[in-house]
């Protein structure tokens, strides 16, 4: 789904109807008119008609701390990446607000950890149900996830029999404490629910710092949390601008009251946060960058491989951490695959506004992202790559780029060792299985990998040899709430989702019970 859908749906449904001719700024938790020139008709024409009807309660622009909507001394603008139109002005929190949020979360933790697993489960289910009821207003990104509500009841300990007859050994699982949750822009609701669902189910409380590009989703979820009866201070949100992001992130990650850091984002930022966590030895879970290989062996079914390539590459316009970054295609099937892939792209990919029926490719998040894709394409072409289709910015606007397929790609090109995060599919031709594995494993990251083969022995060999945390075998979409999500090497630490995800927010305590 196009990114523009999320931002516009969550951030500005009433721009065209309730507030004609004005911008928005925060006050008392809601949106109010601000002085200054209004966005022109050209900026609003694409979506104003579709913005009417969103519940005013979900249009929040202040921080949410201790169950209250609190303004900040300054605000920052959030923009629609498709048109560049301002969606609203959001509270720009700083270190003071961050520390206040941590204190609120810690005070709430002292109470929340004593709430029974059954009651936590019930509250999470209510929150989930409200999300589903408001899924259109939440930009249609909330899917029917289990949301850890039932996993709260399945936090089991152990009883261990010891050699001594008068002793019993018990292993308890207890909530770790306050969790700092730092999320990216590309899945602004799903990233929060996956982390926060596990944390709250375990008995932890959270301080969420959403991405500056997409704060409205986190704030809308806070309103629904309040409606669901989640106690004050359990779920806190502190939006901030890019200018304040570094100091706010450092403040919450070094605060002694924070026991856990959960981060999804770039490997570079992850290393900085790990440094902050090291000083007080905090628990961390990180889902960082990837460079997912997509391997097509000679035995593969071409149609299936192309369908998988389309799904794994162009989901969210290529802006996910598990999107295929380089396509390794064996010589015997190379030409047939490239031809079929190009035809599928031309037939099935439609670039446009996220609200337009039939759109499959929306804008990139900002012009910097477009420049990165453009740089990789130009670098590849200058070194001998051939543009099969696409290859340049799209006429729709500065944040749009044509879905692009390159062949004759070599390993010295930027697109083969730098995460793209855009609609670019570079194809490398290889001869042997060993060669493909070597190319795929050369990266210092290892989040996801995909390959297509009809050879059972080869499937087992390659699945075991790929140095990634998740493997798709004859499948291009691997994410599932029931399965553990995470990587190896510099792609991160820990796992999210599945029964393993809740363990990231639990401590083990051994109790020796003697004198029996």
């Amino acid at each position: 789904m196009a990114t523009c859908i999320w931002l516009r749906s969550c951030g500005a449904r009433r721009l065209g109807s309730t507030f004609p001719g004005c911008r928005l700024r925060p006050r008392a938790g809601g949106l109010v008119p601000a002085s200054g020139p209004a966005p022109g008709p050209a900026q609003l024409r694409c979506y104003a008609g579709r913005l009417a009807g969103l519940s005013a309660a979900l249009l929040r622009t202040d921080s949410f701390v201790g169950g209250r909507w609190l303004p900040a001394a300054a605000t920052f603008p959030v923009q629609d990446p498709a048109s560049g139109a301002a969606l609203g002005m959001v509270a720009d929190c700083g270190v003071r607000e961050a520390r206040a949020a941590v204190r609120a979360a810690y005070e709430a933790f002292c109470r929340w950890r004593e709430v029974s697993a059954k009651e936590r489960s019930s509250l999470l289910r209510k929150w989930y149900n409200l999300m589903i009821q408001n899924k259109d207003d939440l930009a249609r990104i909330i899917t029917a996830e289990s949301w850890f509500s039932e996993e709260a009841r399945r936090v089991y300990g152990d009883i261990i029999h010891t050699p001594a007859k008068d002793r019993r050994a018990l292993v308890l699982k207890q909530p770790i404490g306050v969790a700092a949750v730092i999320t990216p822009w590309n899945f602004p609701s799903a990233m929060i629910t996956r982390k926060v669902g596990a944390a709250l189910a375990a008995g932890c409380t959270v301080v969420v710092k959403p991405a500056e590009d997409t704060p409205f989703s986190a704030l809308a979820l806070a309103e629904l949390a309040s409606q669901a009866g989640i106690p004050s201070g359990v779920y806190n949100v502190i939006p901030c601008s890019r200018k304040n992001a570094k100091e706010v992130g450092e403040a919450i990650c070094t605060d002694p009251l924070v026991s856990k850091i959960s981060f999804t984002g770039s490997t570079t930022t992850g290393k900085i946060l790990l440094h902050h966590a090291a000083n007080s030895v905090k628990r961390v879970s990180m889902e960082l960058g990837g460079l997912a290989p997509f391997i097509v062996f000679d035995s593969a079914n071409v149609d299936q491989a192309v369908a998988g390539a389309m799904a794994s590459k162009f989901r969210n316009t290529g802006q996910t951490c598990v999107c295929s970054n380089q396509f390794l295609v064996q010589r015997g099937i190379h030409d047939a695959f490239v031809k079929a892939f190009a035809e599928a792209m031309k037939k099935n990919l439609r670039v446009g506004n996220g609200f337009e029926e039939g759109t499959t490719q929306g804008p990139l998040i900002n012009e910097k992202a477009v420049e990165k894709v453009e740089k990789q394409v130009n670098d590849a072409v200058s070194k001998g790559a051939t543009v099969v289709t696409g290859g340049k910015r799209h006429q729709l606007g500065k944040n749009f780029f044509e879905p692009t397929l390159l062949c004759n790609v070599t390993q010295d090109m930027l697109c083969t060792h730098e995460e793209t995060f855009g609609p670019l599919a570079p194809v490398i031709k290889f001869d042997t299985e060993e060669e493909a594995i070597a190319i795929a494993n050369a990266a210092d990251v290892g989040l996801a990998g995909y390959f297509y083969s009809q050879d059972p022995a080869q499937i087992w060999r390659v699945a075991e040899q790929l140095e990634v945390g998740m493997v798709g075998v004859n499948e291009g979409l691997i994410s599932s709430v029931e399965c553990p999500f995470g990587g190896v090497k510099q792609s991160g630490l820990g796992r999210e989702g599945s029964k393993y995800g809740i363990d990231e927010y639990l401590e083990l305590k051994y109790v020796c019970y003697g004198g029996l």
Side-chain angles (χ1 to χ4, degrees):
M1 186 176 292
T3 304
C4 53
I5 292 178
W6 304 334
L7 289 175
R8 284 174 295 187
S9 295
C10 290
R13 290 241 176 178
R14 296 191 181 272
L15 276 174
S17 56
T18 305
F19 301 106
C22 67
R23 291 203 314 266
L24 305 175
R25 62 181 173 83
R27 188 175 70 195
L31 294 174
V32 299
S35 60
Q43 293 177 308
L44 297 176
R45 67 175 182 271
C46 294
Y47 56 86
R50 297 178 176 91
L51 297 178
L54 177 64
S55 168
L58 296 182
L59 286 171
R60 297 293 185 169
T61 60
D62 289 340
S63 65
F64 186 71
V65 176
R68 297 188 298 159
W69 295 102
L70 301 175
T75 61
F76 69 97
V78 179
Q79 296 178 325
D80 171 9
S83 67
L87 299 179
M89 302 295 291
V90 176
D92 193 2
C93 295
V95 171
R96 182 174 63 86
E97 290 86 358
R99 289 174 176 163
V102 170
R103 286 195 299 272
Y106 182 77
E107 291 170 2
F109 171 67
C110 297
R111 301 183 298 272
W112 180 247
R113 65 183 174 186
E114 301 300 329
V115 174
S116 70
K118 181 178 180 180
E119 187 174 350
R120 291 199 302 268
S121 173
S122 177
L123 288 170
L124 284 172
R125 176 55 64 174
K126 288 179 182 178
W127 196 3
Y128 165 79
N129 288 339
L130 283 170
M131 292 179 193
I132 297 303
Q133 291 170 23
N134 291 273
K135 62 183 179 180
D136 290 334
D137 287 350
L138 291 173
R140 291 168 288 176
I141 63 169
I142 301 298
T143 57
E145 290 181 301
S146 66
W147 231 89
F148 285 100
S149 59
E150 294 305 312
E151 207 63 38
R153 304 185 184 204
R154 293 192 282 265
V155 177
Y156 305 134
D158 289 299
I159 297 178
I160 302 171
H161 289 282
T162 68
K165 294 182 179 180
D166 62 343
R167 297 179 187 173
R168 294 294 183 270
L170 293 79
V171 178
L172 309 179
K173 290 185 178 181
Q174 297 180 315
I176 193 169
V178 176
V181 174
I182 303 176
T183 60
W185 55 263
N186 57 341
F187 290 99
S189 289
M191 286 291 107
I192 292 173
T193 56
R194 188 159 67 184
K195 297 174 186 293
V196 173
L200 269 58
C204 298
T205 57
V206 299
V207 176
V208 177
K209 193 205 83 61
E212 61 272 10
D213 295 300
T214 55
F216 290 115
S217 293
L219 297 170
L221 292 177
E223 171 61 29
L224 295 180
S226 180
Q227 293 180 22
I230 301 294
S232 298
V234 172
Y235 177 77
N236 306 274
V237 183
I238 48 168
C240 71
S241 63
R242 183 173 279 106
K243 176 175 66 71
N244 286 350
K246 182 178 180 181
E247 63 179 21
V248 168
E250 182 175 355
I252 61 176
C253 290
T254 58
D255 195 302
L257 297 181
V258 171
S259 300
K260 161 78 178 182
I261 300 171
S262 178
F263 170 72
T264 295
S266 71
T267 300
T268 299
T269 302
K271 291 177 179 179
I272 294 172
L273 298 182
L274 277 171
H275 176 76
H276 293 329
N279 289 331
S280 51
V281 197
K282 299 184 191 300
R283 283 272 296 276
V284 297
S285 57
M286 296 194 170
E287 191 263 284
L288 307 177
L291 200 70
F294 188 105
I295 307 172
V296 184
F297 291 103
D298 282 343
S299 66
N301 179 298
V302 172
D303 292 338
Q304 289 181 0
V306 167
M310 292 288 288
S312 71
K313 174 70 256 186
F314 296 107
R315 178 189 184 196
N316 195 27
T317 318
Q319 298 174 111
T320 84
C321 52
V322 293
C323 278
S324 298
N325 207 83
Q326 54 181 334
F327 291 81
L328 312 177
V329 185
Q330 200 159 13
R331 184 175 298 276
I333 203 173
H334 175 274
D335 292 350
F337 174 83
V338 170
K339 180 181 178 182
F341 196 8
E343 291 173 350
M345 288 171 61
K346 294 174 183 177
K347 179 181 179 181
N348 299 307
L349 299 181
R350 179 174 179 268
V351 180
N353 186 296
F355 282 117
E356 293 175 357
E357 190 69 28
T359 293
T360 65
Q361 302 292 286
L364 274 69
I365 188 62
N366 51 42
E367 193 169 12
K368 185 178 179 180
V370 175
E371 291 171 354
K372 183 177 184 180
V373 178
E374 192 172 49
K375 179 182 178 181
Q376 289 190 1
V377 171
N378 292 339
D379 171 79
V381 171
S382 71
K383 295 175 180 176
T386 302
V387 177
V388 180
T389 185
K392 61 184 184 299
R393 298 191 186 211
H394 197 280
Q395 61 184 8
L396 275 180
K398 66 178 183 179
N399 289 347
F400 291 88
F401 200 90
E402 295 178 346
T404 300
L405 177 62
L406 302 179
C407 66
N408 298 322
V409 173
T410 54
Q411 295 177 63
D412 62 333
M413 299 174 183
L414 282 177
C415 57
T416 66
H417 54 82
E418 181 180 271
E419 189 175 23
T420 302
F421 239 64
L424 170 60
V427 178
I428 299 174
K429 186 186 298 184
F430 72 89
D431 290 302
T432 67
E433 177 183 314
E434 292 75 16
E435 180 186 359
I437 294 296
I439 295 173
N441 289 345
D444 57 8
V445 293
L447 187 57
Y450 311 85
F451 70 92
Y452 278 71
S453 171
Q454 299 298 316
D455 181 339
Q458 183 178 62
I459 288 173
W460 280 113
R461 287 195 306 271
V462 175
E464 292 177 352
Q465 291 176 29
L466 281 178
E467 296 174 357
V468 295
M470 300 172 286
V471 180
V473 182
N474 297 325
E475 179 56 60
L477 290 176
I478 58 175
S479 297
S480 175
V481 68
E482 297 84 5
C483 302
F485 190 99
V488 300
K489 299 196 281 191
Q490 293 188 34
S491 280
L493 301 165
R495 292 296 183 269
E496 293 183 342
S498 79
K499 66 179 183 179
Y500 304 103
I502 199 169
D503 289 338
E504 300 292 334
Y505 298 90
L506 295 168
E507 293 276 27
L508 294 181
K509 178 181 286 185
Y510 159 52
V511 178
C512 182
Y513 189 179
L516 300 177

